[in-house]
Amino acid sequence: MSIPLQDFRGDRDAVTTIELPEISPPMLRRLIRYFYVLDYDDVPGQDFAPGYPAIKLNGRMLSVAVRFGVYGLQKIAASKFEDSCIRLASPCEEPLSALKLLADVATMIYSPSIQTYNELRSSIAKAVRSHLINDPRLLDNPAIKELCRQHPSFVYDLMTEGIKAASGKV
Protein backbone atom coordinates (compact mmCIF):
# COMPACT_ATOMS: atom_id res chain seq x y z
CA MET A 1 0.00 0.00 0.00
CA SER A 2 1.28 3.49 -0.74
CA ILE A 3 0.10 6.72 0.78
CA PRO A 4 0.51 9.97 -1.17
CA LEU A 5 1.42 12.93 1.04
CA GLN A 6 1.63 16.53 -0.05
CA ASP A 7 5.04 18.11 0.57
CA PHE A 8 4.63 21.64 1.94
CA ARG A 9 8.33 22.43 2.32
CA GLY A 10 8.60 24.13 -1.01
CA ASP A 11 6.76 23.07 -4.13
CA ARG A 12 3.08 22.94 -3.21
CA ASP A 13 2.41 20.58 -6.12
CA ALA A 14 5.05 18.03 -5.07
CA VAL A 15 3.76 14.76 -3.66
CA THR A 16 5.76 12.39 -1.50
CA THR A 17 4.74 8.75 -1.33
CA ILE A 18 5.27 6.47 1.63
CA GLU A 19 5.43 2.79 0.68
CA LEU A 20 4.00 0.35 3.23
CA PRO A 21 4.24 -3.06 1.61
CA GLU A 22 2.31 -5.99 3.01
CA ILE A 23 -0.06 -4.00 5.21
CA SER A 24 -3.76 -4.00 4.46
CA PRO A 25 -5.86 -0.84 4.69
CA PRO A 26 -7.77 -2.07 7.79
CA MET A 27 -4.52 -2.77 9.61
CA LEU A 28 -3.07 0.57 8.50
CA ARG A 29 -6.15 2.37 9.88
CA ARG A 30 -5.60 0.63 13.22
CA LEU A 31 -1.90 1.52 13.21
CA ILE A 32 -2.68 5.19 12.55
CA ARG A 33 -5.39 5.14 15.24
CA TYR A 34 -2.83 3.78 17.68
CA PHE A 35 -0.58 6.79 17.01
CA TYR A 36 -3.43 9.12 17.98
CA VAL A 37 -5.09 7.35 20.91
CA LEU A 38 -2.52 4.72 21.97
CA ASP A 39 -4.99 1.90 21.36
CA TYR A 40 -6.73 0.18 18.46
CA ASP A 41 -10.14 -1.34 17.84
CA ASP A 42 -9.90 -5.12 18.06
CA VAL A 43 -13.46 -5.72 16.86
CA PRO A 44 -13.19 -6.78 13.21
CA GLY A 45 -16.37 -4.92 12.18
CA GLN A 46 -16.87 -3.87 8.57
CA ASP A 47 -13.16 -4.13 7.69
CA PHE A 48 -13.23 -7.92 7.56
CA ALA A 49 -15.52 -10.72 6.46
CA PRO A 50 -18.41 -11.50 8.82
CA GLY A 51 -17.29 -13.81 11.60
CA TYR A 52 -13.60 -12.87 11.31
CA PRO A 53 -12.17 -13.72 14.75
CA ALA A 54 -10.70 -11.01 16.97
CA ILE A 55 -7.81 -13.33 17.89
CA LYS A 56 -6.61 -13.30 14.27
CA LEU A 57 -6.97 -9.53 14.08
CA ASN A 58 -4.89 -9.16 17.25
CA GLY A 59 -2.26 -11.55 15.89
CA ARG A 60 -2.07 -9.56 12.65
CA MET A 61 -1.85 -6.29 14.59
CA LEU A 62 1.03 -7.73 16.59
CA SER A 63 2.74 -8.68 13.36
CA VAL A 64 2.35 -5.09 12.07
CA ALA A 65 3.69 -3.69 15.35
CA VAL A 66 6.74 -5.98 15.24
CA ARG A 67 7.36 -5.21 11.56
CA PHE A 68 7.38 -1.45 12.13
CA GLY A 69 9.00 -1.52 15.59
CA VAL A 70 6.11 0.08 17.48
CA TYR A 71 6.85 -1.21 20.97
CA GLY A 72 3.76 0.17 22.76
CA LEU A 73 1.49 -1.30 20.11
CA GLN A 74 3.30 -4.63 20.47
CA LYS A 75 2.45 -4.70 24.17
CA ILE A 76 -1.22 -3.79 23.59
CA ALA A 77 -1.66 -6.29 20.74
CA ALA A 78 0.04 -9.02 22.80
CA SER A 79 -2.27 -8.32 25.74
CA LYS A 80 -5.39 -8.39 23.54
CA PHE A 81 -4.14 -11.57 21.89
CA GLU A 82 -3.65 -13.28 25.26
CA ASP A 83 -7.15 -12.22 26.34
CA SER A 84 -8.53 -13.79 23.15
CA CYS A 85 -6.63 -17.02 23.91
CA ILE A 86 -8.13 -17.16 27.39
CA ARG A 87 -11.64 -16.79 25.95
CA LEU A 88 -10.97 -19.54 23.39
CA ALA A 89 -9.49 -21.86 26.02
CA SER A 90 -12.71 -22.05 27.99
CA PRO A 91 -15.01 -25.00 27.31
CA CYS A 92 -17.40 -24.32 24.47
CA GLU A 93 -20.08 -26.01 22.41
CA GLU A 94 -17.84 -26.16 19.32
CA PRO A 95 -14.45 -27.46 20.53
CA LEU A 96 -13.42 -28.54 17.02
CA SER A 97 -13.96 -25.08 15.54
CA ALA A 98 -12.20 -23.43 18.50
CA LEU A 99 -9.29 -25.84 18.14
CA LYS A 100 -9.09 -25.23 14.38
CA LEU A 101 -9.02 -21.48 14.99
CA LEU A 102 -6.31 -21.90 17.63
CA ALA A 103 -4.27 -24.02 15.20
CA ASP A 104 -4.60 -21.37 12.48
CA VAL A 105 -3.53 -18.63 14.86
CA ALA A 106 -0.70 -20.74 16.26
CA THR A 107 0.67 -21.17 12.75
CA MET A 108 0.74 -17.38 12.45
CA ILE A 109 2.28 -16.86 15.91
CA TYR A 110 4.95 -19.51 15.37
CA SER A 111 6.05 -17.84 12.13
CA PRO A 112 9.59 -16.42 12.18
CA SER A 113 8.40 -12.78 12.22
CA ILE A 114 7.04 -12.98 15.78
CA GLN A 115 9.67 -15.10 17.52
CA THR A 116 10.33 -12.48 20.19
CA TYR A 117 6.91 -13.03 21.77
CA ASN A 118 7.33 -16.29 23.68
CA GLU A 119 4.50 -15.41 26.07
CA LEU A 120 2.09 -15.51 23.12
CA ARG A 121 3.29 -18.97 22.27
CA SER A 122 2.67 -19.97 25.85
CA SER A 123 -0.88 -18.56 25.68
CA ILE A 124 -1.64 -20.57 22.52
CA ALA A 125 -0.16 -23.73 24.03
CA LYS A 126 -2.25 -23.31 27.20
CA ALA A 127 -5.43 -22.78 25.18
CA VAL A 128 -4.82 -25.83 22.97
CA ARG A 129 -3.86 -27.93 26.01
CA SER A 130 -7.13 -27.06 27.75
CA HIS A 131 -9.13 -28.36 24.76
CA LEU A 132 -7.01 -31.52 24.49
CA ILE A 133 -7.46 -32.27 28.19
CA ASN A 134 -11.25 -31.97 27.83
CA ASP A 135 -11.28 -34.25 24.78
CA PRO A 136 -8.03 -36.13 23.91
CA ARG A 137 -9.61 -37.31 20.63
CA LEU A 138 -9.02 -33.79 19.34
CA LEU A 139 -5.36 -34.81 18.90
CA ASP A 140 -6.53 -36.54 15.73
CA ASN A 141 -7.64 -33.19 14.30
CA PRO A 142 -5.77 -32.60 11.00
CA ALA A 143 -5.14 -28.94 11.88
CA ILE A 144 -3.35 -29.93 15.10
CA LYS A 145 -1.36 -32.68 13.37
CA GLU A 146 -0.21 -30.25 10.68
CA LEU A 147 0.66 -27.60 13.26
CA CYS A 148 2.80 -30.12 15.15
CA ARG A 149 4.56 -31.20 11.94
CA GLN A 150 5.26 -27.67 10.78
CA HIS A 151 6.26 -26.18 14.14
CA PRO A 152 8.10 -28.59 16.47
CA SER A 153 8.57 -25.70 18.89
CA PHE A 154 4.77 -25.74 19.36
CA VAL A 155 5.01 -29.37 20.50
CA TYR A 156 7.73 -28.38 22.95
CA ASP A 157 5.62 -25.50 24.30
CA LEU A 158 2.59 -27.80 24.58
CA MET A 159 4.66 -30.31 26.58
CA THR A 160 6.13 -27.54 28.74
CA GLU A 161 2.68 -26.18 29.60
CA GLY A 162 1.46 -29.70 30.38
CA ILE A 163 4.40 -30.38 32.70
CA LYS A 164 3.96 -27.02 34.43
CA ALA A 165 0.27 -27.76 34.99
CA ALA A 166 0.97 -31.28 36.26
CA SER A 167 3.63 -30.07 38.68
CA GLY A 168 1.52 -27.14 39.89
CA LYS A 169 3.91 -24.48 38.55
CA VAL A 170 1.36 -22.67 36.38
Side-chain angles (χ1 to χ4, degrees):
M1 171 170 220
S2 60
I3 304 171
L5 300 173
Q6 197 164 10
D7 185 354
F8 292 108
R9 290 178 292 176
D11 184 1
R12 294 186 77 60
D13 294 328
V15 175
T16 303
T17 302
I18 297 175
E19 294 293 327
L20 297 173
E22 301 173 17
I23 183 170
S24 65
M27 301 313 287
L28 179 62
R29 278 192 288 280
R30 284 171 172 79
L31 176 63
I32 291 170
R33 177 176 166 76
Y34 170 77
F35 291 135
Y36 282 99
V37 297
L38 300 178
D39 200 0
Y40 69 93
D41 182 13
D42 65 338
V43 177
Q46 298 174 359
D47 293 341
F48 296 91
Y52 190 85
I55 190 171
K56 281 189 172 184
L57 186 149
N58 292 323
R60 288 179 61 191
M61 200 69 225
L62 177 61
S63 180
V64 167
V66 169
R67 177 171 168 73
F68 294 106
V70 185
Y71 180 72
L73 181 57
Q74 290 176 27
K75 291 185 69 81
I76 290 170
S79 175
K80 289 182 178 194
F81 180 85
E82 289 175 22
D83 290 346
S84 297
C85 280
I86 290 168
R87 283 191 298 277
L88 276 175
S90 59
C92 61
E93 293 179 20
E94 300 277 337
L96 276 175
S97 61
L99 195 62
K100 170 77 170 95
L101 176 58
L102 284 167
D104 289 347
V105 173
T107 298
M108 178 175 60
I109 292 302
Y110 279 82
S111 72
S113 65
I114 308 184
Q115 283 188 353
T116 57
Y117 272 86
N118 290 331
E119 62 270 12
L120 296 186
R121 293 176 171 199
S122 175
S123 297
I124 280 283
K126 284 178 189 174
V128 170
R129 181 182 63 81
S130 74
H131 283 287
L132 295 177
I133 286 172
N134 290 332
D135 187 355
R137 295 173 299 167
L138 294 174
L139 272 172
D140 294 330
N141 183 292
I144 293 298
K145 286 182 176 183
E146 187 61 24
L147 175 63
C148 292
R149 281 189 206 106
Q150 287 182 354
H151 301 284
S153 55
F154 169 75
V155 176
Y156 175 80
D157 291 345
L158 193 58
M159 285 183 0
T160 301
E161 291 306 320
I163 290 169
K164 283 179 185 176
S167 67
K169 295 182 179 180
V170 178

